[in-house]
């Protein structure tokens, strides 16, 4: 079965400090990996994705993610958090297949305090 | 970036009535669209995969007669909640898959409240 795990329901960090939001996956084959952000009552906004190539992927708003195949992880990172980064973050994987179906993690609420 | 427009953003309806939600890809063609449901403080639950010109594929446990999906064109998919009940109240999000970008782009979501 395909699955995505975000072990932390919530992450608290002070503004200016680095942040990490964790994601591990269990998907057969070579999945595509994604991070999305959701603000209250809004749809998901794409942050970044990993398809192939360099394990460190840079995305929108200063976020980056590191793909680790041996640990099947795709953690989201940012060197210096902003209060405006506070939102709900979802990790997602897609197995290249006919239906192009996405599997989402349970989400991690990021709280950045001034 | 690609824009997916979902309409309406919010709707209140009476029990027993039907509600239609539209999902449009504004600047690309989407042969595949997805409909998700999100409960408060929970992740997105895939309801169905909508393929242009053919019947939608529903996930296990989703009533196809209650959640009617139509994907009549490459830029429009609709979700109709039939005979709505208060337990159908939720946040519904659509996404459209752009093959060339290998990305799914999401609509802003629809907050449905059934009273």
């Amino acid at each position: 079965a395909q699955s995505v795990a975000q072990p932390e329901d919530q992450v608290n960090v002070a503004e200016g400090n680095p942040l990490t939001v964790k994601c591990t996956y269990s998907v057969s084959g070579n999945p595509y990996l994604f991070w999305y952000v959701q603000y209250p009552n809004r749809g998901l906004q794409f942050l970044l994705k990993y398809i192939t190539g360099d394990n460190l992927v840079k995305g929108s708003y200063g976020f980056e993610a590191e793909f680790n195949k041996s640990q099947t992880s795709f953690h989201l990172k940012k060197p210096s958090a902003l209060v405006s980064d506070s939102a709900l973050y979802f990790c997602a994987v897609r197995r290249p297949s006919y239906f192009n179906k996405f599997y989402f993690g349970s989400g991690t609420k990021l709280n950045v305090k001034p | 970036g690609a824009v997916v427009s979902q309409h309406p953003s919010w709707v209140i309806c009476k029990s027993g009535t039907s509600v239609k939600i539209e999902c449009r890809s504004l600047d690309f063609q989407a042969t595949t669209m997805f409909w998700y449901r999100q409960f408060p403080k929970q992740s997105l639950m895939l309801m169905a995969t909508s393929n242009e010109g053919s019947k939608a594929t529903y996930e296990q446990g989703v009533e196809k007669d209650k959640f009617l999906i139509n994907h009549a064109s490459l830029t429009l998919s609709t979700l109709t909640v039939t005979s709505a009940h208060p337990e159908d109240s939720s946040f519904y999000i659509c996404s459209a898959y752009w093959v060339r970008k290998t990305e799914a782009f999401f609509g802003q979501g629809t907050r449905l409240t059934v009273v």
Side-chain angles (χ1 to χ4, degrees), chain A:
Chain A
Q2 325 300 326
S3 67
V4 180
Q6 291 181 242
E8 302 152 317
D9 291 336
Q10 187 167 294
V11 169
N12 298 312
V13 64
E15 188 174 31
N17 284 359
L19 68 88
T20 299
V21 182
K22 296 179 181 177
C23 172
T24 58
Y25 64 92
S26 175
V27 177
S28 57
N30 296 312
Y32 298 168
L33 303 162
F34 301 80
W35 275 101
Y36 290 89
V37 59
Q38 185 183 34
Y39 295 96
N41 291 312
R42 301 293 298 276
L44 274 67
Q45 296 178 31
F46 170 80
L47 279 180
L48 51 79
K49 67 181 178 184
Y50 173 84
I51 303 292
T52 186
D54 194 354
N55 290 343
L56 185 64
V57 179
K58 294 188 182 298
S60 306
Y61 313 118
F63 283 93
E64 57 189 29
E66 187 168 11
F67 170 63
N68 188 316
K69 188 171 184 177
S70 62
Q71 297 183 4
T72 61
S73 67
F74 190 56
H75 301 331
L76 181 70
K77 300 180 180 183
K78 187 172 182 181
S80 180
L82 299 173
V83 173
S84 57
D85 292 329
S86 299
L88 191 56
Y89 290 81
F90 289 99
C91 179
V93 301
R94 178 174 81 76
R95 188 178 60 174
S97 66
Y98 177 73
F99 289 109
N100 296 320
K101 188 183 295 186
F102 285 77
Y103 299 90
F104 284 87
S106 54
T108 299
K109 190 170 189 305
L110 174 65
N111 296 311
V112 182
K113 298 185 178 180

Side-chain angles (χ1 to χ4, degrees), chain B residues 73-94:
Chain B
S73 77
L74 287 171
T75 59
L76 174 63
S77 176
T78 60
L79 168 68
T80 301
V81 183
T82 63
S83 187
H85 290 284
E87 56 264 31
D88 298 326
S89 299
S90 191
F91 193 60
Y92 294 87
I93 303 176
C94 74

Side-chain angles (χ1 to χ4, degrees), chain A residues 38 41 43 49 94 100 105, chain B residues 38 43 97 101-102 108 111:
Chain A
Q38 185 183 34
N41 291 312
K49 67 181 178 184
R94 178 174 81 76
N100 296 320
Chain B
Q38 186 180 29
S43 187
Y97 187 73
K101 295 277 188 178
T102 62
Q108 74 272 31
R111 171 72 60 191

